[in-house]
C-alpha cells in the first residue's frame, strides 16, 4: 500500500471570485482514514475535488501517491441503463481491463458490499441504500490506494446510514486504503476515522485536527461509549467556535 | 431494502406498459383514445351534414356512409388510392431514415464542444423556423418534382426534432457522471459511447416519434405540390379537390389521417418498449 495525499497551503479561488478554501494543509498516510466536517458551503467538496484533480489549485500544491484513486460521489451516480454488475464493470472498461478479469473483480466487489444476488438489477429497481452500495463497489473494484468520499451517506435514512458506516470501516480495515471522507455528521466523522479534521466557515480553513484512538473493527456499540461521546463533544465544540 | 420505484407518468392507465403484454397490445391501448376521437368526428360530421347544411348543399359534405360507401366499394378508385398511399409511405420512411441519421450525426458533432454547438445550432433553428411551404417551390425548381424532391421535403421537416432531442439527450448526463469518467481517464470516444449516447437513447426515441409524424405531413405536402411521376396520396388529394370528387376526397383524407395515427402509434409504442427495457424492465 502506497496511498498518500499531501496538501500544502492549498487555496482555491473560483473564477466567480469565491474563495472556497484557504491555506489548507493536510497529510494522509497509508492507514489513515481522515474525515472532514465543516459547515455547509465551507469548501469541503472543493477540497476533495482538488485532491482528486477534478479542480486545479489557485495556490499551494497537491501531491498524490497512489496507483489507483477512487471517488465516491454524494449521489450514487449510477448509469441507469446498466445493471449493478455492469455499473461496477464500467471502471474496468474505461481502464481497458480484459473482460474476464473485470467481470470477476466486479462480482467480488459486489459480494464485498453484500449485493450478491442483485447483480442483474438496474438502479431503478434498487433502494437508495443498495444504490449507494453499488457506488461503493464501483469505488473498491480497482483496489484503490486512496479513496475519496464526498458525503456518500448524507441522503440515506438513519438506519441504513449506520449500517453503511459499520460496513465501510470494515472495508477500510480489510482493504487498507488511505481514506478522505467528507461528512456533515459529527458522530459519523468520529466513528469512521483515525482523525477528524474540522473546517471553519467559508473560506474553509482547518481549525482543529482531533485524533481518534479506537481500534478497528469498531463495533456499533462504540457509539454509546463515554470516550466516544467525549470525542464527538470536542469535535462539536471546535465546529461551534468557528462557524 | 427491496423498494421498487414506480415513477408515475402522465399516461392513461391502459397505455402503460404492463409486464407480459405484447407490444401490439400496448400500441392498441395507446391508439384507442385516438380511435374514440375519430368516432367523435364521425358524429360531428353527421351533425353538420344533416343539421347544418341545407339539403341543396349536402353534396359539399355527404354523410360518412355515403362518402365511404361509394368509394370503398369502388375498386377502380381504391386501388390507385392505396397504391398512392404505399408510395407516400415509402417516401416518408426514406425521408425519416435520412433525417434520423443526419439529425443524430449533427447533434453528435454539436455535443463535442460548446463552440461547435454555438456555430451549428443556428442552422438547425433556421431550418425549423422557415415555413416549409416557403421552401417547397424552391426545392421543386432545384430538384425536380419527383421522388428526390419529396424525400427532401420530408427530411427538412423531420430533421429538427431529431437534432434537438438527440442533443438534449447527449447533454443530459449529470456533471457527476462526467466527473466519474474524467477520474477514470475516459477518452472522448469512451465518453460518447459509454455515457452520452446511452443517456440519449430515451430522447432519441422521443425525437423519432415526433419526426415520424412530421415526415408523414412532409410527404403529403410534397405530394400535393410535386405532381411528376406516379402520384402519392397527397397528389390524389389535389386531383380530387380540383375535380370536386367529394366522396373520393373525403375517403382519401380519412385514409391519410388513419395513416398518421398508425405511424404515430407504432413509434409511440416503440418508444415505450425500448425505453422501458433500457432501464431494466417495466418500471415506468
Ligand atoms: N465551480 C464553482 N464555481 C464557482 N463557485 C463554486 C464552484 N464550486 C463551488 N463553488 C463555491 O465554493 C463554495 C464551497 O463549495 P463546496 O461545494 O466546496 O462546499 P461544501 O462544503 O462541499 O458544501 P456542502 O456541505 O453544502 O456540500 C460555495 O460557496 C460554492 O458556491
Ligand atoms: Mg459538498
Amino acid at each position: 500500500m502506497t496511498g498518500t495525499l499531501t496538501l500544502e497551503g492549498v487555496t482555491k479561488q473560483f473564477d466567480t471570485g469565491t474563495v472556497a478554501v484557504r491555506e489548507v494543509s493536510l497529510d494522509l498516510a497509508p492507514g489513515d482514514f481522515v474525515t472532514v466536517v465543516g459547515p455547509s458551503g465551507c469548501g469541503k467538496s472543493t477540497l476533495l475535488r482538488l485532491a482528486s484533480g477534478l479542480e486545479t489549485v489557485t495556490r499551494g500544491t497537491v501531491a498524490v501517491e497512489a496507483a489507483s484513486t477512487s471517488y465516491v460521489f454524494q449521489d450514487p451516480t449510477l448509469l441507469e441503463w446498466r445493471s449493478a454488475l455492469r455499473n461496477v464493470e464500467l471502471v474496468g472498461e474505461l481502464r481497458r481491463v480484459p473482460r474476464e478479469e473485470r467481470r470477476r473483480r466486479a462480482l467480488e466487489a459486489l459480494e464485498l458490499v453484500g449485493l450478491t444476488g442483485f447483480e442483474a438489477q438496474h438502479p431503478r429497481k434498487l433502494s437508495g441504500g443498495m444504490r449507494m452500495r453499488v457506488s461503493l463497489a464501483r469505488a473498491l473494484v480497482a483496489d484503490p490506494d486512496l479513496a475519496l468520499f464526498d458525503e456518500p451517506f448524507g441522503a440515506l435514512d438513519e438506519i441504513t446510514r449506520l449500517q453503511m458506516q459499520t460496513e465501510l470501516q470494515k472495508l477500510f480495515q480489510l482493504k487498507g486504503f488511505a481514506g478522505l471522507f467528507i461528512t456533515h455528521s459529527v458522530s459519523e466523522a468520529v466513528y469512521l476515522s483515525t482523525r477528524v479534521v474540522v473546517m471553519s466557515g467559508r473560506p474553509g480553513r482547518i481549525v482543529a485536527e482531533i485524533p481518534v484512538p479506537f481500534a478497528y473493527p469498531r463495533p456499533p456499540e462504540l457509539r454509546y461509549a463515554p470516550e466516544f461521546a467525549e470525542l464527538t463533544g470536542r469535535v462539536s465544540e471546535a465546529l461551534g467556535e468557528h462557524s | 431494502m427491496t423498494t421498487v420505484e414506480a415513477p408515475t407518468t402522465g399516461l392513461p392507465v391502459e397505455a402503460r406498459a404492463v409486464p407480459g403484454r405484447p407490444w401490439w397490445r400496448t400500441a392498441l391501448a395507446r391508439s384507442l383514445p385516438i380511435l374514440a376521437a375519430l368516432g367523435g368526428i364521425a358524429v360531428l360530421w353527421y351533425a353538420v351534414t344533416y343539421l347544418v347544411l341545407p339539403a341543396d348543399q349536402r353534396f359539399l359534405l355527404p354523410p360518412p356512409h355515403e362518402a365511404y360507401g361509394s368509394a370503398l366499394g369502388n375498386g377502380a378508385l381504391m386501388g390507385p388510392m392505396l397504391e398512392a398511399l404505399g408510395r407516400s409511405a415509402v417516401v416518408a420512411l426514406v425521408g425519416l431514415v435520412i433525417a434520423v441519421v443526419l439529425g443524430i450525426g449533427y447533434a453528435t458533432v454539436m455535443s463535442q464542444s460548446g463552440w461547435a454547438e454555438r456555430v451549428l445550432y443556428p442552422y438547425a433553428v433556421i431550418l425549423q423556423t422557415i415555413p416549409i411551404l416557403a421552401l417547397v417551390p424552391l426545392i421543386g425548381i432545384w430538384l425536380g418534382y419527383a421522388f428526390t424532391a419529396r424525400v427532401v421535403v420530408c427530411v427538412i421537416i423531420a430533421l429538427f426534432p431529431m437534432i434537438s432531442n438527440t442533443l438534449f439527450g447527449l447533454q443530459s448526463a449529470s456533471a457527476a457522471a462526467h466527473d466519474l469518467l474524467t477520474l477514470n481517464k475516459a477518452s472522448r470516444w469512451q465518453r460518447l459511447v459509454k455515457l452520452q449516447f446511452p443517456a440519449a437513447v430515451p430522447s432519441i426515441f422521443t425525437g423519432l416519434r415526433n419526426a415520424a409524424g412530421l415526415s408523414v405531413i412532409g410527404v403529403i405536402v410534397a405530394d400535393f405540390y410535386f405532381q411528376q411521376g406516379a402520384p402519392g396520396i397527397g397528389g390524389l388529394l389535389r386531383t380530387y379537390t380540383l375535380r370536386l370528387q367529394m366522396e373520393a376526397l373525403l375517403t382519401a383524407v380519412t385514409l391519410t389521417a388513419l395513416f398518421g395515427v398508425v405511424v404515430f402509434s407504432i413509434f409511440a409504442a416503440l418508444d415505450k418498449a425500448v425505453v422501458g427495457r433500457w432501464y431494466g424492465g417495466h418500471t415506468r
Side-chain angles (χ1 to χ4, degrees):
Chain A
M1 281 299 157
T2 55
T4 68
L5 166 69
T6 314
L7 305 184
E8 254 179 50
V10 167
T11 298
K12 175 68 182 180
Q13 178 165 26
F14 286 107
D15 298 338
T16 54
T18 308
V19 181
V21 292
R22 171 165 292 163
E23 293 293 324
V24 168
S25 297
L26 189 66
D27 253 315
L28 227 74
D32 280 347
F33 195 111
V34 173
T35 49
V36 180
V37 289
S40 188
C42 74
K44 303 183 295 295
S45 295
T46 303
L47 192 67
L48 216 58
R49 293 175 65 81
L50 290 167
S52 70
L54 282 172
E55 299 278 0
T56 50
V57 297
T58 310
R59 271 193 307 282
T61 56
V62 175
V64 174
E65 243 178 79
S68 171
T69 302
S70 72
Y71 196 110
V72 181
F73 299 88
Q74 180 152 7
D75 297 314
T77 314
L78 303 178
L79 307 188
E80 294 209 56
W81 53 90
R82 284 175 172 244
S83 65
L85 179 63
R86 301 250 303 128
N87 261 290
V88 179
E89 268 191 83
L90 176 71
V91 174
E93 284 173 37
L94 294 174
R95 298 182 184 189
R96 302 184 196 287
V97 176
R99 172 184 283 272
E100 312 244 297
E101 188 188 341
R102 70 173 191 245
R103 169 126 321 170
R104 181 177 56 74
R105 297 183 64 136
L107 286 169
E108 277 171 19
L110 281 171
E111 189 184 347
L112 214 54
V113 298
L115 279 183
T116 303
F118 291 93
E119 296 89 349
Q121 298 290 345
H122 279 62
R124 289 193 175 189
K125 296 207 168 165
L126 300 173
S127 68
M130 289 163 104
R131 282 198 285 265
M132 188 41 83
R133 282 167 203 268
V134 177
S135 187
L136 275 185
R138 184 181 59 199
L140 295 174
V141 73
D143 257 326
D145 301 319
L146 175 65
L148 307 172
F149 303 84
D150 191 359
E151 286 191 59
F153 306 152
L156 301 179
D157 63 90
E158 189 64 15
I159 296 169
T160 312
R161 185 173 189 157
L162 296 182
Q163 217 171 8
M164 299 294 291
Q165 291 170 8
T166 309
E167 287 173 29
L168 180 59
Q169 56 86 29
K170 277 190 205 150
L171 289 171
F172 165 65
Q173 192 198 13
L174 185 73
K175 292 287 179 179
F177 48 78
L180 184 59
F181 188 105
I182 309 291
T183 176
H184 266 121
S185 154
V186 172
S187 93
E188 180 169 273
V190 173
Y191 179 74
L192 287 174
S193 71
T194 56
R195 184 159 36 117
V196 180
V197 167
V198 180
M199 283 178 79
S200 68
R202 198 181 67 226
R205 288 170 303 113
I206 292 179
V207 292
E209 293 205 32
I210 299 167
V212 180
F214 312 120
Y216 295 87
R218 297 178 175 173
E221 306 80 62
L222 175 65
R223 297 192 183 86
Y224 320 125
E227 311 90 87
F228 190 87
E230 201 252 84
L231 273 174
T232 53
R234 278 176 56 200
V235 173
S236 298
E237 197 182 349
L239 260 175
E241 280 169 17
H242 297 277
S243 56
Chain B
M1 292 281 279
T2 48
T3 328
V4 173
E5 250 183 26
T8 49
T9 60
L11 291 167
V13 175
E14 70 269 48
R16 282 187 212 136
V18 174
R21 193 188 248 197
W23 68 270
W24 58 267
R25 291 210 36 200
T26 313
L28 203 64
R30 290 195 131 232
S31 44
L32 264 179
I34 306 175
L35 294 176
L38 290 178
I41 291 171
V43 170
L44 206 66
W45 183 348
Y46 274 113
V48 172
T49 307
Y50 289 116
L51 304 176
V52 178
L53 289 177
D56 60 338
Q57 284 182 26
R58 213 156 271 165
F59 71 95
L60 286 174
L61 190 66
H65 62 272
E66 272 177 33
Y68 300 141
S70 64
L72 289 177
N74 183 349
L77 190 66
M78 289 313 290
M81 214 187 278
L82 288 174
E83 273 171 35
L85 186 63
R87 275 191 291 273
S88 297
V90 169
V91 171
L93 190 66
V94 172
L96 179 62
V97 169
I98 295 174
V100 167
V101 172
L102 284 182
I104 292 178
Y106 200 82
T108 305
V109 173
M110 270 198 281
S111 74
Q112 289 307 295
S113 75
W115 182 82
E117 188 184 341
R118 274 194 298 282
V119 171
L120 294 178
Y121 203 67
Y123 294 98
V125 172
I126 289 169
L127 193 69
Q128 162 77 357
T129 47
I130 296 181
I132 190 72
L133 286 182
L135 280 179
V136 162
L138 277 178
I139 294 168
I141 291 168
W142 289 333
L143 298 173
Y145 300 90
F147 186 77
T148 314
R150 293 180 200 181
V151 168
V152 167
V153 172
C154 291
V155 172
I156 288 176
I157 202 170
L159 194 55
F160 188 76
M162 280 316 301
I163 293 177
S164 59
N165 281 288
T166 306
L167 184 64
F168 173 80
L170 290 172
Q171 294 174 338
S172 67
S174 70
H178 277 285
D179 285 345
L180 174 69
L181 268 75
T182 305
L183 288 166
N184 285 291
K185 304 195 170 54
S187 64
R188 185 177 280 259
W189 175 249
Q190 283 178 323
R191 194 178 295 272
L192 190 62
V193 299
K194 300 217 184 273
L195 180 61
Q196 293 180 286
F197 260 128
V201 163
S203 314
I204 288 176
F205 275 86
T206 305
L208 185 61
R209 195 183 63 201
N210 295 331
L214 286 171
S215 191
V216 169
I217 293 176
V219 74
I220 287 162
V221 169
D223 282 347
F224 199 89
Y225 285 93
F226 303 157
Q227 298 271 345
Q228 224 169 57
I233 189 75
L236 291 187
L237 284 176
R238 174 153 155 168
T239 311
Y240 299 149
T241 310
L242 294 176
R243 296 192 196 144
L244 220 63
Q245 287 176 296
M246 288 312 291
E247 284 83 6
L249 180 58
L250 289 168
T251 307
V253 167
T254 309
L255 216 55
T256 315
L258 282 178
F259 178 51
V261 168
V262 167
V263 168
F264 184 83
S265 305
I266 289 175
F267 280 95
L270 185 72
D271 180 12
K272 199 103 203 84
V274 170
V275 173
R277 200 149 302 166
W278 196 233
Y279 293 127
H282 305 278
T283 51
R284 278 154 63 94

